[in-house]
Amino acid sequence: MAEENRVFDIEIITPDRIFYTGKATMIEFNTADGEIGVYKNHIPLTTVLVPGIVTITGDEGLKTAAVHAGFAEILPDKVTLLAEIAEWPDEIDEQRAEAAAARAKERLTAKTKDIDLARAEFALRKALVRMEIKK
């Protein structure tokens, strides 16, 4: 009974699909202000997601996914992540992520006028998250 009191709903939605719907006792993810861990009855909060690994703790153990930008709405009994992209580890092509990281690093070191540095940094961050979750 005490365990049931700690469980809350999780929903991760992308423009393409409802990525995950389930119950959890904790969720951890990255925000623009740093990493956050949420339990049931968290204060209501809306925050910006940045590329990172989402860890969901529930009855089935730990689930991890890569999430790339969006928004999070935290309510006392539900957490909703509206993400640009969300991927399970088995959906990620590691060689493609490594190639994307190499391209982004090359753009960042070139620093020419026509390079959008913020976009290159974002691409690098996404590629590094993909590579990290595959390990």
Side-chain angles (χ1 to χ4, degrees):
M1 183 71 165
E3 188 69 28
E4 284 182 20
N5 293 334
R6 298 178 358 169
V7 175
F8 60 96
D9 294 318
I10 303 282
E11 196 167 38
I12 302 173
I13 302 168
T14 70
D16 299 334
R17 62 185 169 160
I18 296 176
F19 179 76
Y20 178 79
T21 301
K23 303 230 179 250
T25 55
M26 182 179 183
I27 184 169
E28 299 171 86
F29 53 91
N30 293 334
T31 73
D33 295 321
E35 191 172 349
I36 186 172
V38 179
Y39 292 102
K40 186 173 183 173
N41 296 321
H42 194 284
I43 61 168
L45 175 70
T46 302
T47 188
V48 176
L49 294 173
V50 295
I53 296 175
V54 172
T55 304
I56 302 167
T57 304
D59 291 341
E60 302 166 9
L62 292 178
K63 292 181 186 279
T64 58
V67 173
H68 308 289
F71 297 94
E73 177 188 49
I74 302 169
L75 299 173
D77 60 351
K78 184 176 183 180
V79 174
T80 303
L81 304 183
L82 301 174
E84 179 184 305
I85 300 168
E87 304 166 297
W88 296 114
D90 62 352
E91 296 175 329
I92 295 171
D93 180 337
E94 194 169 5
Q95 285 82 20
R96 187 172 172 209
E98 289 170 358
R103 282 191 308 273
K105 286 177 184 175
E106 189 176 299
R107 281 188 226 124
L108 287 169
T109 56
K111 294 185 181 177
T112 61
K113 287 184 192 179
D114 60 327
I115 299 294
D116 182 344
L117 291 178
R119 186 172 176 217
E121 288 171 352
F122 187 73
L124 178 59
R125 182 180 250 173
K126 285 182 3 181
L128 293 174
V129 167
R130 287 177 169 138
M131 291 165 46
E132 181 181 343
I133 201 166
K134 286 298 283 185
K135 291 183 182 179

